[in-house]
Amino acid sequence: MKPTPSFNRSLWVYHFNSGSCNGCEIEIVAAITPRYDPERFGIKLVGSPRHADVMLVTGPVVKKMKDRLLRVYSQIPDPKVVMCIGTCGISGGVFYDSYNLEGPVDEVIPVDVYVPGCPPRPEAIIHGVVTALAKLERLEGGSA
Ligand code: SF4
């Protein structure tokens, strides 16, 4: 039987939409509501990037959002982890050749965890958050 990972901290997540169609947002809402209830493990959305450990980015980066994405990223205290949710943020997805696209998220800010899917299921998003938590603990321990 696989050992259950144990973590020493709760994880606060800030969500940023850099140009999503909102499909990924629906799955994030599904992931944080009572069916899965990640708040019982201390995982919750926060309203300010200054309070966050993890930045959750959905959608490709459109021209109007690039500067805002960079500014919000800089407002999250270190150490921080960036999760890219959905195919659009990973590769541009169906919008890859759109006139108003700056590109995938990792061409603008560094990405630590990729969650593919269009949109990804809530289980995949939660798995990504747990992966982010492990990465954050390694960063805090100075070994990542
Ligand atoms: S990955 Fe799919 S659901 Fe998510 S923003 Fe792109 S088109 Fe929408």
Side-chain angles (χ1 to χ4, degrees), residues 10-14 32 38-39 41-46 54 129:
S10 58
L11 197 70
W12 288 11
V13 179
Y14 182 80
I32 61 170
E39 202 164 327
F41 304 117
I43 300 168
K44 66 172 202 163
L45 283 180
V46 290
V54 173
V129 171

Side-chain angles (χ1 to χ4, degrees), residues 64-131:
K64 284 195 170 180
M65 295 305 278
K66 181 182 178 183
D67 289 347
R68 291 158 179 85
L69 176 60
L70 285 166
R71 186 183 311 165
V72 169
Y73 174 76
S74 71
Q75 290 173 338
I76 298 178
D78 288 322
K80 59 191 163 199
V81 172
V82 175
M83 276 178 67
C84 186
I85 304 290
T87 304
C88 286
I90 295 172
S91 66
V94 291
F95 306 113
Y96 77 98
D97 60 350
S98 176
Y99 68 94
N100 65 343
L101 217 68
E102 287 288 346
V105 175
D106 63 5
E107 289 186 10
V108 181
I109 58 172
V111 173
D112 302 285
V113 179
Y114 295 87
V115 182
C118 180
R121 292 179 57 85
E123 294 91 333
I125 295 172
I126 292 169
H127 180 264
V129 171
V130 173
T131 306

Side-chain angles (χ1 to χ4, degrees), residues 18-70:
S18 62
S20 162
C21 77
N22 276 342
C24 287
E25 277 66 25
I26 297 296
E27 298 303 315
I28 291 170
V29 169
I32 61 170
T33 42
R35 181 181 173 111
Y36 299 97
D37 193 17
E39 202 164 327
R40 69 202 144 115
F41 304 117
I43 300 168
K44 66 172 202 163
L45 283 180
V46 290
S48 167
R50 298 182 198 282
H51 299 159
D53 307 293
V54 173
M55 186 179 192
L56 215 159
V57 186
T58 52
V61 184
V62 295
K63 287 192 189 322
K64 284 195 170 180
M65 295 305 278
K66 181 182 178 183
D67 289 347
R68 291 158 179 85
L69 176 60
L70 285 166

